[in-house]
Amino acid sequence: MGIYVITGGTTGIGAATRDHLHRQGHRTVNLDLKDGDHQVDLSNPEQYTPVLREVAQAHPEIDGIVTCAGVASHFPDTSKILDINFWGTVNVVEALRGNLSEGGRVVVISSNSAPQCSKPELVEAMLANDREAALTLAAESSGHDCYSGSKHAIARWVRREAPQFARQGISLNAIAPGYIETPMTQAVANSAEYGEAIKQFVASIPLGRPGTREDIASLIGFLLSPEAHFIAGSLIYADGGHDALFRPDQGP
């Protein structure tokens, strides 16, 4: 039986992942703004940093980390999109990295929207850990650019950090979901700004349906399992063929 720390485990993909792990007999520690085992506001480092210390002290050895917490492009405060999606992922992983047992697993959530950011300087600011510059750029950027940029930065952070994690016996990977039916994506679909675009987006999925929470939870479960021990530093698209449709000539 393992112990896994999950962010955003109350709803959506995080909740499905918790259920998946519980069925396998594992324990989970849910970090969420609402109904979590530890209440955390991932937009506020001053609030969640001491909570992460508590988690590290309470669980000196953990088997894995899954970062499912995130907000979408419709979120009204663009700066918080970066804080939650990027720094709320990186800071959690780094804070608990020393607690991971050898053979541990880390799975973070990127997006198949990651390649769509039109502001590369926004991504570079996040990767340089220049929060002030990134938030300045966010103030003049669209929600879509901040969302896709934060997910792009996460994917590149994984590629940069995965070799060092692997040398410590820990695998670090990212999943890039497409459109998944969750409360977060339903809120975007219901918004006046993005609703029509979402309808067209869903209609264009090659497999002919939106993804489910369980589709992604099953993939996360595999990446956390012993069968995935040789997978490290990968970004795996789980989007019904959408990225292949959008970028058919994108090679390795």
Side-chain angles (χ1 to χ4, degrees):
M1 182 176 70
I3 300 177
Y4 295 90
V5 175
I6 300 178
T7 68
T10 300
T11 60
I13 293 170
T17 301
R18 287 180 69 210
D19 291 344
H20 182 94
L21 291 171
H22 290 169
R23 287 194 298 270
Q24 295 180 331
H26 300 299
R27 292 170 54 199
T28 60
V29 180
N30 178 23
L31 311 182
D32 206 315
L33 185 61
K34 182 180 180 181
D35 297 331
D37 299 311
H38 296 267
Q39 185 170 317
V40 293
D41 178 359
L42 289 176
S43 72
N44 184 353
E46 292 184 359
Q47 188 272 332
Y48 68 72
T49 298
V51 175
L52 292 174
R53 290 196 197 100
E54 292 178 15
V55 173
Q57 291 172 359
H59 305 282
E61 188 167 315
I62 59 177
D63 296 277
I65 304 168
V66 183
T67 60
C68 293
V71 292
S73 53
H74 73 297
F75 199 77
D77 187 336
T78 53
S79 66
K80 287 191 176 183
I81 295 176
L82 309 188
D83 273 333
I84 296 169
N85 290 1
F86 180 72
W87 278 288
T89 291
V90 171
N91 290 344
V92 167
V93 174
E94 291 293 355
L96 300 176
R97 181 175 182 172
N99 294 65
L100 286 161
S101 59
E102 187 173 354
R105 304 277 193 269
V106 180
V107 180
V108 303
I109 303 299
S110 178
S111 170
N112 74 341
S113 296
Q116 299 173 14
C117 181
S118 63
K119 290 198 170 184
E121 64 273 20
L122 182 63
V123 175
E124 295 299 334
M126 282 182 276
L127 289 171
N129 200 29
D130 190 341
R131 184 169 176 268
E132 182 177 353
L135 298 189
T136 298
L137 289 164
E140 57 193 40
S141 301
S142 69
H144 176 72
D145 271 332
C146 289
Y147 175 76
S148 58
S150 67
K151 295 300 189 177
H152 187 138
I154 281 295
R156 287 177 57 187
W157 178 81
V158 165
R159 295 287 291 172
R160 290 182 177 189
E161 297 295 324
Q164 185 177 352
F165 274 74
R167 293 185 188 102
Q168 297 174 313
I170 300 165
S171 67
L172 169 63
N173 293 290
I175 294 174
Y179 187 86
I180 309 297
E181 290 186 324
T182 68
M184 182 183 77
T185 56
Q186 190 60 52
V188 182
N190 290 338
S191 71
E193 183 176 2
Y194 294 105
E196 185 57 37
I198 290 296
K199 289 179 183 178
Q200 296 177 17
F201 188 75
V202 171
S204 69
I205 297 173
L207 274 180
R209 67 167 177 87
T212 68
R213 304 179 308 162
E214 289 73 22
D215 289 328
I216 307 304
S218 295
L219 178 55
I220 292 172
F222 169 70
L223 290 174
L224 295 176
S225 73
E227 287 80 4
H229 69 278
F230 202 59
I231 301 175
S234 293
L235 173 66
I236 301 175
Y237 283 85
D239 65 356
H242 239 165
D243 185 66
L245 174 68
F246 295 147
R247 304 189 302 157
D249 296 320
Q250 182 67 29

